[in-house]
Amino acid sequence: MSTATVDRVLNDRDGVRGKTRDRVLAIANRLGYFVQGADAASQDVRVDFVLPAGTNSFMTALGQHLLEEAATRPDVRARLHLIEGFDANKLAQKLYELRGQTQAVGLVGLDHPQVRDAIMALRDSGVHVSTLVSDIPISARLGYVGIDNRAAGRLAALLLGRFLPQHTERKVAVFVGSLAYRGHEEREMGFRSLLSEEFPHLRIAHILEIGDDRDRAFAVTQELLRNEPPHAIYNIGAGNQGIARALKEARPAEARPAQARPAEARLTEAWPNEARSNQAASAHRIVFVGHDLTEATRRLLLDRTMDAVIDQNPRVEAREIVKLLVAAVKGAPEPSYLPRLQVIFRENIPEP
């Protein structure tokens, strides 16, 4: 920018567009340059994001998008904190530590008394807090950015109900990261509800908690296939790669087609009798539905290990929560936003 433009802004004179004025004031503030008459709208905003650590590919992508979105705004300084995903004590401790260190916090958190108390303590210290992906519906939080998780669970049930044969009893295994995540609990409730309403012939035979860990998902799926193979799997959270690995290893080589076959054939094909004796009862292809389009689930859709992925767009969620938190700090109203659900099949995988 020209010296004259900067001079007009610093001396609060007319002749400068609002967007340009905001940029100059934000940079001046970042450099520590005192600007007469600068108000909260022109100051840098300190934002912290708290996400679960681990092997969850979706959370890894979400963290990257949060930092990238914050970096596009000259008035935002952002930090990312990764906490053991299912430890309410560690999560609450981190939230308490952020008092006095930040102006706004976005978190993916457990719906737990310790966490709720920490959110209220942040609110009381003047920090704006918004939940992300999984809600904690208390008055202390500013808003929620994420999908309707109960609707997501109902959608998964509808997909399995349409994939599997009608009016024939079938067993379904449900994999859960943790029901301490309200989002996972809501998905399970929605899934169970729609099965009861429209597909009573589909029975939930197992609910397996895997902590969103792909290695545990692999071990649990192996044991399931040995003892009581289901006709379908719904994975509520992360761990798709572990489930898929077990399914692939269990399928006899001669049952792995070199080229794609129609969906009808895939859903009814029988495994040969030479399969492992303990898995002889699973003489069918297991329908597999999960969440979140990542590089891993893209590959699993392409090789037909997964049949459908229910996606929420982490880039959109990152954009919306940054907008929500920054607006709150600056005293501007910004409504919460519920991203749309999208079902991804092999034939409509979007470009990365």
Side-chain angles (χ1 to χ4, degrees):
M1 299 178 189
S2 69
T3 303
T5 297
V6 175
D7 179 72
R8 289 191 188 97
V9 174
L10 298 183
N11 291 284
D12 198 25
R13 289 197 287 267
D14 295 334
V16 183
R17 291 182 301 172
K19 185 176 181 180
T20 302
R21 183 180 298 276
D22 290 344
R23 289 187 61 196
V24 173
L25 291 175
I27 294 168
N29 179 67
R30 184 173 299 175
L31 294 173
Y33 189 94
F34 176 74
V35 181
Q36 184 68 34
D39 57 19
S42 65
Q43 304 301 307
D44 274 359
V45 177
R46 300 187 306 277
V47 181
D48 286 73
F49 298 105
V50 183
L51 270 60
T55 60
N56 188 327
S57 300
F58 173 80
M59 290 299 173
T60 299
L62 178 61
Q64 293 172 346
H65 290 311
L66 288 167
L67 294 178
E68 289 170 359
E69 179 64 28
T72 65
R73 303 187 58 148
D75 59 341
V76 176
R77 287 182 289 161
R79 296 182 299 181
L80 179 65
H81 310 271
L82 300 178
I83 307 297
E84 186 176 334
F86 303 102
D87 191 321
N89 183 58
K90 289 182 179 179
L91 175 57
Q93 182 179 348
K94 171 55 66 176
L95 296 179
Y96 286 125
E97 290 173 0
L98 290 174
R99 288 180 297 179
Q101 306 297 317
T102 188
Q103 294 168 285
V105 172
L107 78 149
V108 179
L110 304 173
D111 190 358
H112 187 278
Q114 286 178 286
V115 178
R116 292 196 295 270
D117 187 70
I119 292 173
M120 288 187 284
L122 278 173
R123 187 271 314 273
D124 293 342
S125 71
V127 177
H128 301 277
V129 181
S130 178
T131 52
L132 180 63
V133 177
S134 181
D135 196 13
I136 305 173
I138 57 175
S139 60
R141 63 107 166 99
L142 173 68
Y144 165 63
V145 176
I147 60 172
D148 180 336
N149 283 296
R150 193 168 187 277
R154 290 177 65 86
L155 180 56
L158 178 64
L159 289 168
L160 288 189
R162 301 296 292 176
F163 274 128
L164 293 169
Q166 299 295 303
H167 312 299
T168 303
E169 184 173 332
R170 290 289 184 266
K171 294 179 294 185
V172 179
V174 178
F175 286 70
V176 183
S178 172
L179 293 179
Y181 272 130
R182 190 181 184 91
H184 288 191
E185 180 186 32
E186 290 173 343
R187 290 178 188 179
E188 190 270 340
M189 290 169 56
F191 183 79
R192 185 184 297 274
S193 175
L194 192 102
L195 285 191
S196 176
E197 292 171 17
E198 298 196 20
F199 305 104
H201 58 285
L202 302 184
R203 178 173 61 88
I204 298 177
H206 306 276
I207 295 182
L208 306 162
E209 196 161 337
I210 57 174
D212 276 354
D213 181 86
R214 67 184 63 160
D215 293 328
R216 176 162 174 72
F218 171 69
V220 168
T221 306
Q222 276 194 318
E223 183 177 357
L224 180 67
L225 295 177
R226 282 194 297 268
N227 298 322
E228 191 180 354
H231 297 88
I233 288 175
Y234 170 42
N235 185 25
I236 282 176
N240 291 313
Q241 294 177 70
I243 296 170
R245 178 184 163 200
L247 291 175
K248 289 179 180 180
E249 290 186 7
R251 187 183 300 179
E254 56 267 42
R256 301 172 197 159
Q259 59 186 10
R261 281 181 278 177
E264 293 80 2
R266 292 190 296 105
L267 292 175
T268 57
E269 68 183 1
W271 290 357
N273 292 330
E274 303 88 65
R276 298 187 185 107
S277 59
N278 287 344
Q279 295 172 354
S282 63
H284 57 269
R285 184 190 178 281
I286 295 174
V287 178
F288 180 14
V289 172
H291 285 266
D292 303 324
L293 186 66
T294 65
E295 283 305 311
T297 53
R298 283 173 183 272
R299 292 193 298 270
L300 296 176
L301 284 171
L302 288 170
D303 69 15
R304 298 187 184 277
T305 304
M306 292 189 77
D307 293 278
V309 168
I310 300 170
D311 189 46
Q312 55 184 318
N313 191 323
R315 183 178 286 107
V316 171
E317 291 176 332
R319 181 192 70 208
E320 293 301 321
I321 197 167
V322 169
K323 283 171 55 181
L324 181 68
L325 292 173
V326 172
V329 172
K330 295 191 173 188
E334 182 72 33
S336 295
Y337 177 78
L338 288 177
R340 288 179 297 178
L341 291 167
Q342 183 178 10
V343 181
I344 308 297
F345 302 99
R346 181 176 180 269
E347 302 303 327
N348 71 326
I349 300 175
E351 295 183 5

